[in-house]
Amino acid sequence: MSDRNGDSYTVNTNYFVDAVPPLLKTRKVTPRRVAEDQLINLQRQFARPPGINDAYDVLVGEHTVIVHGEPGSGRSSAAQVLLCELPRDGGTYHELTPEEPETPSGRWLSLDLVGERDRMLLDLSSANDPTWHAVRAELSGFRYEVLRKRAFLAIVLPHQFKEQLSPQFSQFSKKIDRPDTWEAVNRHLWLAEVEGNVRDLAPTALRTYLDTAPPMRDLARLAERIAAARGHGDFAAWCEAALAAQTDRTSDVTDALRRVRKGRERALFLTAAMLDGARAEVVHRATNLLVEEAGSAHDGRPLLEHKGLSVRLETVGAELGSDSRVRFTQPHFAETARHHFWANLPDVREPLSTWLKQALRLRDLDETDQANLVARFTDLCLSTGEFERLTALVEQWTQDSAHRTSEVRAAAHVLQRGVEDEQRDAEFRSKIYTWSTGRPSKHLREVLVEVCTKVMSIHHPEPALVRLHHLARNEPPPGVVARRALLDYVSQDVRLLRRLLARLATTQSERHHRADADLFLDLAGFPDHFLLAAPTREWLTTCWRMAFELLTPQRWTRCTANWLATADQVDGEALVEAALSILVDASDARYPVLSRIYADARRNVSPGLASRLLQSINTAQRARFTRPAPDPEVSPS
């Protein structure tokens, strides 16, 4: 409810403490802005594939389109671009993330997620069978809400689910074929300000590579590498360098390992691969740690007889740069070496996990190198499905005794990488949910809050809200980290504010009843239509009733005074009447509540509004006293 000056209720932040330094480096913009920037960039680099025009016609005419295609064809990007190309006449773009409902009566796709004229993406390209079958059962009702709200829905299906569509939805299905390879590379290079037509300039090696029809994401990576190679020779030389970076280095790594047989040399090899780009001092100390952890022998010769680090690095294919940082000489070599050790020497995984915890505390390991190291280890675990290894590390790194600048930050980077992984993100979201509904440690709560607000919120906004809500309601006093994050998060998006209000009013439990009532009182201002629309008005009434029943007058008095003060400033009889009736209805005509509200109103609002409030109170009390008494012979059911 906004006043005539456009102001609204503000979050109660009187008791909020100063924020601690963030764990994850992100731009200071809202998640929605990040998502929109990504969409704009995607649209600029997008090469239109065969079938997309037909899909657009279906989307415009039916408000729903289901796109499918072979993996690597760019079907998810095509669905996003389709939604972007729709006329912008209101509504917002957002992505839907189906998750198992928290209550038996809940839905995988909540109807509350559909806003007026919204453009929504439901990407099921990585969904498993149970998720697909649950969503399919709800699609008809969800599409009805889409049509009612004049919204648009684009669904991405894996190829194997296409034949399972009902006849009702088969008519919306359109295949997206692979776009022209040359056009795709050209658009990426054009955005990178590389002039010229690739087809005319391409050397034989590039033509051979493109003839293999690599996935669209590999083409994007290739174009980035061509652009990065500028300044060294002609276009053919740029392409040669880019293709070298995309070449499979497995045989090169295997040959190198045949030459490097001693345990200490292999420890340097693996350490340099894990810390590629880090300072030489860090690589040296980390190698010693790995030697101790893996049980390899130290060099027993006098120190002055040891080979220099640069000589030893040369043996494993790396070099010491002028900036004193260690890098491998061949592109893509470090990544291949890491995966080769991990896949072919599985016994090294456990000692490498222990080594990682020690390496993170090395003095000269800066924040960027630390993030790279954790990301690389996370990728190794994900490549072999070792999800539990990662979650166990997160729990270890967020114990009360953990170092915030090393271990706690590393835990945040692990979860960031996991949530961003297209294949494993659902597992990480599920684990984060489990943590958030329990009693996480202080450090783990801080990590979960940052991952939800900065990472999950971009492409999974409602799951982020659900987890933040659980973290806030479970947060022990006097903690305010999760609560502040939740309130800030919903203040950015009225759709999320509506979802939180619905959760506070409808997903109640004895354990969380009081916490949810307290959360409600700290919410930011509500749009006018919340007070006038039947569902949101009912939720507001329920939440106020919770506050009156469960919290002390000292807690809710200031909030009711702010509510009435705002009502005193608004224009519109219907809005003022709604604001008053919500409070009075929520009181259930209880004299202690109404007398306190009215006494405060006489001191803080205009005589006119105080008079109207008294009239509403008298009407409610008369209705209560004139209500027929229940028949004493009829026992309550």
Side-chain angles (χ1 to χ4, degrees):
M1 181 171 57
S2 303
D3 63 21
R4 63 171 58 99
N5 296 317
D7 297 327
S8 60
Y9 296 147
T10 55
V11 179
N12 177 15
T13 58
N14 291 339
Y15 56 87
F16 284 174
V17 296
D18 291 336
V20 295
L23 298 168
L24 299 174
K25 287 186 176 180
T26 59
R27 292 184 298 165
K28 293 184 178 180
V29 292
T30 65
R32 172 173 288 178
R33 181 69 261 169
V34 174
E36 289 177 353
D37 288 347
Q38 291 176 352
L39 279 175
I40 292 171
N41 188 57
L42 171 64
Q43 197 170 12
R44 293 175 63 199
Q45 66 189 24
F46 185 72
R48 298 185 69 79
I52 195 169
N53 291 340
D54 290 342
Y56 180 81
D57 292 341
V58 171
L59 180 60
V60 170
E62 305 294 340
H63 286 248
T64 304
V65 68
I66 301 174
V67 300
H68 63 93
E70 298 295 334
S73 62
R75 56 195 173 180
S76 296
S77 296
Q80 294 177 66
V81 170
L82 285 171
L83 293 168
C84 285
E85 291 179 342
L86 292 169
R88 304 292 181 90
D89 53 354
T92 62
Y93 167 86
H94 57 99
E95 300 182 23
L96 305 171
T97 307
E99 290 191 315
E100 187 173 357
E102 296 181 276
T103 61
S105 59
R107 296 173 57 91
W108 286 69
L109 292 174
S110 173
L111 301 181
D112 292 330
L113 297 174
V114 185
E116 197 73 27
R117 299 183 184 275
D118 276 359
R119 292 159 286 124
M120 296 171 292
L121 172 69
L122 176 58
D123 191 346
L124 299 173
S125 58
S126 300
N128 55 24
D129 285 349
T131 299
W132 159 240
H133 291 301
V135 170
R136 184 178 61 175
E138 297 182 2
L139 272 182
S140 181
F142 192 79
R143 181 171 183 267
Y144 176 82
E145 187 69 8
V146 169
L147 294 174
R148 194 176 73 84
K149 295 285 184 64
R150 297 175 295 172
F152 295 90
L153 174 65
I155 305 173
V156 183
L157 273 192
H159 199 64
Q160 67 269 23
F161 292 158
K162 175 185 174 295
E163 302 303 324
Q164 301 177 22
L165 284 172
S166 65
Q168 175 189 1
F169 283 93
S170 294
Q171 59 181 318
F172 309 135
S173 176
K174 291 294 177 182
K175 183 179 181 182
I176 298 296
D177 290 314
R178 178 184 174 84
D180 181 76
T181 301
W182 295 96
E183 173 64 16
V185 177
N186 251 341
R187 290 191 69 87
H188 282 283
L189 290 177
W190 174 72
L191 287 176
E193 299 181 350
V194 177
E195 299 179 355
N197 189 306
V198 176
R199 194 188 295 268
D200 297 335
L201 301 173
T204 302
L206 179 60
R207 294 178 183 275
T208 302
Y209 174 76
L210 296 183
D211 286 344
T212 65
M216 301 307 296
R217 58 182 172 272
D218 288 352
L219 293 180
R221 193 176 299 115
L222 175 68
E224 291 175 2
R225 286 168 170 163
I226 292 175
R230 280 179 296 184
H232 303 281
D234 57 9
F235 184 77
W238 307 346
C239 293
E240 181 180 349
L243 289 169
Q246 304 223 152
T247 301
D248 186 356
R249 298 290 179 187
T250 302
S251 60
D252 296 332
V253 170
T254 303
D255 291 341
L257 278 172
R258 290 195 186 102
R259 298 191 304 269
V260 180
R261 294 184 176 276
K262 293 182 179 180
R264 183 170 181 79
E265 292 176 334
R266 289 194 168 190
L268 176 62
F269 195 173
L270 179 53
T271 301
M274 295 296 296
L275 290 168
D276 187 38
R279 295 185 179 279
E281 295 86 348
V282 174
V283 174
H284 175 72
R285 294 192 182 101
T287 299
N288 289 337
L289 291 175
L290 185 57
V291 166
E292 294 174 0
E293 189 59 40
S296 300
H298 280 282
D299 191 337
R301 293 175 300 170
L303 290 177
L304 293 178
E305 295 182 17
H306 290 185
K307 291 181 180 179
L309 180 61
S310 59
V311 175
R312 288 184 284 130
L313 286 172
E314 185 178 348
T315 304
V316 301
E319 63 182 4
L320 189 59
S322 58
D323 56 356
S324 298
R325 291 184 177 270
V326 174
R327 297 179 181 87
F328 282 86
T329 56
Q330 296 186 69
H332 202 48
F333 194 89
E335 180 181 354
T336 306
R338 293 192 296 269
H339 283 273
H340 187 90
F341 273 102
W342 188 263
N344 292 280
L345 293 172
D347 289 342
V348 83
R349 297 174 190 175
E350 190 59 36
L352 193 64
S353 301
T354 305
W355 167 84
L356 175 66
K357 290 179 280 187
Q358 299 170 337
L360 287 171
R361 296 189 182 186
L362 289 173
R363 185 177 64 254
D364 295 317
L365 188 69
D366 61 38
E367 189 173 342
T368 299
D369 292 333
Q370 182 190 86
N372 289 336
L373 174 59
V374 174
R376 290 162 184 168
F377 184 84
T378 303
D379 289 345
L380 292 175
C381 291
L382 293 177
S383 69
T384 50
E386 300 201 33
F387 172 76
E388 290 77 12
R389 185 186 297 276
L390 292 172
T391 55
L393 281 176
V394 169
E395 291 176 345
Q396 292 175 26
W397 287 339
T398 53
Q399 295 175 355
D400 292 340
S401 59
H403 290 69
R404 188 177 189 278
T405 57
S406 57
E407 295 172 326
V408 180
R409 181 179 289 145
H413 284 301
V414 167
L415 293 184
Q416 177 184 20
R417 196 73 168 184
V419 170
E420 291 176 340
D421 186 84
E422 294 181 0
Q423 302 300 319
R424 297 283 182 170
D425 63 317
E427 291 180 80
F428 281 90
R429 293 200 311 272
S430 177
K431 186 61 177 180
I432 290 173
Y433 178 84
T434 301
W435 279 325
S436 67
T437 55
R439 298 288 186 183
S441 67
K442 175 185 175 182
H443 288 315
L444 180 55
R445 184 182 304 109
E446 182 186 3
V447 167
L448 297 178
V449 165
E450 285 220 28
V451 171
C452 287
T453 55
K454 295 181 178 180
V455 185
M456 193 185 301
S457 59
I458 297 172
H459 297 294
H460 309 287
E462 203 210 0
L465 168 68
V466 170
R467 287 147 182 78
L468 285 172
H469 180 201
H470 281 296
L471 288 166
R473 63 181 4 176
N474 291 325
E475 190 169 32
V480 294
V481 173
R483 175 178 295 226
R484 176 172 50 202
L486 174 65
L487 298 177
D488 288 346
Y489 184 54
V490 299
S491 70
Q492 302 169 11
D493 190 333
V494 69
R495 179 171 45 85
L496 294 175
L497 177 62
R498 189 179 193 276
R499 286 296 298 145
L500 178 58
L501 181 62
R503 289 181 59 80
L504 293 174
T506 61
T507 60
Q508 301 171 10
S509 68
E510 184 175 350
R511 175 186 170 190
H512 300 122
H513 210 179
R514 185 181 298 273
D516 281 348
D518 196 69
L519 268 171
F520 168 72
L521 294 183
D522 281 331
L523 277 179
F526 299 103
D528 293 350
H529 65 269
F530 274 34
L531 280 69
L532 301 177
T536 44
R537 178 169 172 165
E538 180 180 348
W539 296 336
L540 287 168
T541 304
T542 299
C543 288
W544 275 117
R545 183 177 293 117
M546 290 163 50
F548 295 148
E549 290 178 351
L550 301 171
L551 306 177
T552 65
Q554 289 75 17
R555 176 68 180 98
W556 53 256
T557 296
R558 183 175 57 184
C559 300
T560 54
N562 288 340
W563 179 275
L564 291 173
T566 305
D568 205 16
Q569 298 295 318
V570 300
D571 292 320
E573 288 294 313
L575 193 58
V576 174
E577 183 60 33
L580 297 179
S581 63
I582 286 172
L583 279 188
V584 174
D585 291 347
S587 72
D588 291 331
R590 285 175 293 177
Y591 178 78
V593 174
L594 290 175
S595 62
R596 184 67 178 264
I597 293 175
Y598 179 63
D600 290 336
R602 289 188 62 185
R603 292 191 296 268
N604 297 303
V605 303
S606 65
L609 185 68
S611 177
R612 292 184 62 173
L613 174 61
L614 180 60
Q615 183 179 357
S616 296
I617 291 173
N618 291 335
T619 300
Q621 289 181 325
R622 282 196 300 270
R624 179 184 183 187
F625 290 130
T626 58
R627 191 177 302 134
D631 189 340
E633 297 182 1
V634 179
S635 60
S637 57

